[in-house]
């Protein structure tokens, strides 16, 4: 197999997740040739696939041994070939990928009357109620490091973190606290943490989510021109 970096670096924003995965512990290169790259992110994590041709997508699809899998795949036009070989998944989620190409920290924002600090496991039920009810997953994300914005009375107004495959996300600002700059303050602090770790800050914005697109643009993220698609098979 070839070094995957030259293939991936040809389009930074489109492949930022895969370039970052190469920096993460446990990532395995499953396929790397001139026509595509496939990675396993972490020991039991999702797949990341980029195919230059339909034939490459076919070759990589045949390397997926498990019937039930999760993957972020590109390009969109070759998905039918993946589905032909692996079966149609229960859910697909098309996204634009946003990535930060710089190395210097971005400006962090202070929000009067609020303090940004790490969440603790005592905030688990709060996050589950306001974002996701999968307690085991949220517990792991808090353990990895989530941030919350707290008012002077100790009430959590919003939070942010990292998903298991490394993307920035889990961002939520409660309705009564919006339009105060809390979202971008959380995003900036989270992004700078990633930079300090020597990693590539990136995130996925579901197609049509204009609010999130605006926030990513404001903080200096670069968007991929082409779509990446999350695939969720029947777990």
């Amino acid at each position: 197999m070839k070094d995957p970096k030259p293939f991936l670096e040809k389009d930074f924003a489109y492949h930022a997740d895969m370039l970052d995965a190469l920096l993460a512990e446990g990532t395995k290169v499953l396929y790397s040739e001139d026509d595509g790259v496939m990675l396993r992110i972490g020991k039991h994590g999702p797949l990341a696939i980029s195919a230059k041709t339909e034939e490459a997508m076919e070759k990589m699809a045949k390397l997926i041994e498990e019937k039930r899998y999760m993957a972020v795949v590109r390009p969109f036009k070759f998905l039918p070939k993946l589905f032909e070989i692996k079966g149609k998944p229960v859910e697909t989620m098309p996204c634009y990928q946003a990535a930060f190409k710089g190395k210097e920290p971005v400006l962090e924002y202070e929000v009067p009357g609020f303090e940004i600090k790490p969440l603790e496991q005592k905030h688990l039920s709060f996050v589950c109620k306001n974002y996701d009810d999968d307690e085991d997953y949220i517990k792991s994300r808090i353990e990895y490091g989530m941030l919350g914005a707290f008012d002077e009375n100790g009430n959590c107004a919003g939070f942010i973190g990292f998903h298991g495959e490394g993307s920035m996300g889990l961002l939520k600002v409660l309705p009564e606290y919006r339009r105060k700059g809390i979202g971008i303050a959380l995003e900036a602090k989270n992004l700078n943490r990633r930079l300090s770790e020597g990693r590539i800050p990136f995130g996925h914005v579901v197609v049509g989510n204009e609010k999130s697109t605006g926030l990513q643009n404001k903080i200096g993220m670069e968007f991929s021109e082409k779509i990446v698609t999350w695939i969720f098979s029947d777990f």
Side-chain angles (χ1 to χ4, degrees):
M1 286 193 291
K2 297 187 175 182
D3 179 358
K5 287 184 68 176
F7 178 92
L8 300 175
E9 287 174 341
K10 290 177 182 177
D11 192 334
F12 174 80
Y14 194 44
H15 292 126
D17 60 326
M18 300 178 76
L19 288 165
D20 179 68
L22 293 175
L23 301 171
E25 184 178 351
T27 295
K28 185 176 181 181
V29 180
L30 302 177
Y31 183 92
S32 181
E33 301 295 344
D34 292 334
D35 59 359
V37 173
M38 180 165 70
L39 308 176
R40 167 80 66 190
I41 304 174
K43 189 174 182 180
H44 302 293
L47 298 165
I49 300 171
S50 182
K52 190 174 181 180
T53 65
E54 189 176 54
E55 290 75 18
M57 181 67 78
E58 180 176 359
K59 286 188 284 186
M60 289 187 279
K62 289 178 178 178
L63 293 175
I64 303 174
E65 297 179 351
E66 61 267 44
K67 292 182 178 179
R68 300 175 177 179
Y69 67 98
M70 180 169 61
V72 58
V73 183
R74 71 222 77 188
F76 185 83
K77 65 181 179 179
F78 296 152
L79 289 180
K81 177 56 68 175
L82 176 64
F83 299 162
E84 175 188 320
I85 295 168
K86 294 299 295 178
K88 195 169 183 179
V90 296
E91 184 182 352
T92 60
M93 186 173 70
C95 302
Y96 288 105
Q97 185 155 261
F100 190 77
K101 200 170 186 176
K103 301 295 184 182
E104 296 299 319
V106 299
L107 175 69
E108 294 191 3
Y109 297 79
E110 289 190 10
V111 184
F114 293 86
E115 180 186 4
I116 295 177
K117 59 184 181 180
L119 293 183
E120 300 175 16
Q121 290 298 342
K122 67 181 181 181
H123 301 114
L124 175 63
S125 61
F126 174 80
V127 177
C128 290
K129 178 183 176 181
N130 288 285
Y131 186 87
D132 193 309
D133 60 1
D134 186 337
E135 286 198 2
D136 288 340
Y137 181 68
I138 297 300
K139 183 177 181 180
S140 72
R141 297 303 85 211
I142 292 175
E143 183 177 349
Y144 183 79
M146 289 185 67
L147 296 172
F150 294 85
D151 68 14
E152 294 170 339
N153 296 315
N155 300 311
C156 187
F159 48 80
I160 196 170
F162 293 94
H163 286 290
E165 91 294 352
S167 64
M168 299 195 304
L170 301 160
L171 175 60
K172 179 68 178 273
V173 178
L174 274 60
E176 61 268 34
Y177 293 104
R178 290 173 185 168
R179 299 186 180 279
K180 298 179 182 291
I182 291 172
I184 195 167
L186 288 166
E187 179 96 357
K189 208 164 191 66
N190 217 39
L191 187 155
N192 284 342
R193 172 191 167 181
R194 212 39 155 189
L195 287 177
S196 72
E197 295 168 340
R199 300 280 295 274
I200 299 170
F202 74 93
H204 295 120
V205 178
V206 176
V207 173
N209 188 341
E210 298 300 329
K211 287 185 178 179
S212 183
T213 299
L215 177 61
Q216 306 309 320
N217 280 326
K218 187 174 181 180
I219 206 164
M221 301 281 267
E222 174 185 330
F223 274 89
S224 61
E225 294 182 2
K226 295 171 285 187
I227 289 172
V228 301
T229 305
W230 274 100
I231 304 297
F232 304 93
S233 80
D234 184 8
F235 281 89

